[in-house]
């Protein structure tokens, strides 16, 4: 099993670039297509805690459900924001990368370089 995991959306250029950088370090990561296999509430909460970010920081803003649900309003609790991301996984920003060196939302994709245990080849 790989020591690196990426929550990936193949339609996203940033996610594809991060995946390419991981592979270029000589590792084939465990790839989770999170739109097809969304994280559970517990997994999503653990990812947010591991990244040491606010729930809102993981929310993807430039997508249709964000506007439809009125998520720009600061009246939503963390639990409500989690509910929205679980109901609409497209709202989860990506790529999220987990390595032995940490867990990070890799935007821009070059952020993944700080997490890779092996140098680029």
């Amino acid at each position: 099993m790989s020591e690196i995991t990426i929550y990936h959306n193949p339609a996203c250029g940033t996610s594809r670039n991060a995946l390419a950088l991981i592979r270029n370090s000589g590792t084939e990561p465990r790839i989770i297509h999170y739109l097809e296999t969304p994280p559970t509430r517990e997994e999503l909460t653990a990812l947010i805690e591991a990244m040491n970010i606010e729930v809102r920081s993981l929310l993807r803003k430039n997508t249709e459900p964000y506007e439809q649900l009125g998520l720009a309003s600061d009246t939503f609790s963390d639990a409500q924001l989690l509910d929205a991301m679980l109901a609409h996984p497209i709202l989860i920003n990506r790529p999220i990368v987990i390595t032995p060196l940490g867990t990070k939302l890799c935007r821009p994709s070059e952020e993944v370089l700080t997490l890779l245990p092996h140098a680029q080849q």
Side-chain angles (χ1 to χ4, degrees), residues 56-111:
R56 185 169 285 281
S57 298
L58 190 58
L59 196 58
R60 188 163 174 260
K61 297 171 181 67
N62 59 343
T63 188
E64 191 173 307
Y66 183 83
E67 292 297 325
Q68 287 177 335
L69 298 171
L71 295 174
S73 169
D74 62 1
T75 60
F76 290 92
S77 68
D78 285 351
Q80 290 170 315
L81 294 174
L82 283 170
D83 289 342
M85 286 188 268
L86 293 168
H88 306 278
I90 193 71
L91 288 169
I92 301 171
N93 217 338
R94 76 282 175 165
I96 299 169
V97 177
I98 304 164
T99 80
L101 301 178
T103 302
K104 185 182 266 191
L105 174 62
C106 293
R107 296 191 74 78
S109 55
E110 293 78 16
E111 286 292 319

Side-chain angles (χ1 to χ4, degrees), residues 2-5 22 25 27 50-52 97-106 111-120:
S2 178
E3 62 181 356
I4 298 175
T5 298
I22 294 167
S25 74
T27 302
M51 290 185 283
N52 196 29
V97 177
I98 304 164
T99 80
L101 301 178
T103 302
K104 185 182 266 191
L105 174 62
C106 293
E111 286 292 319
V112 76
L113 296 173
T114 66
L115 293 175
L116 296 178
H118 307 290
Q120 295 290 285

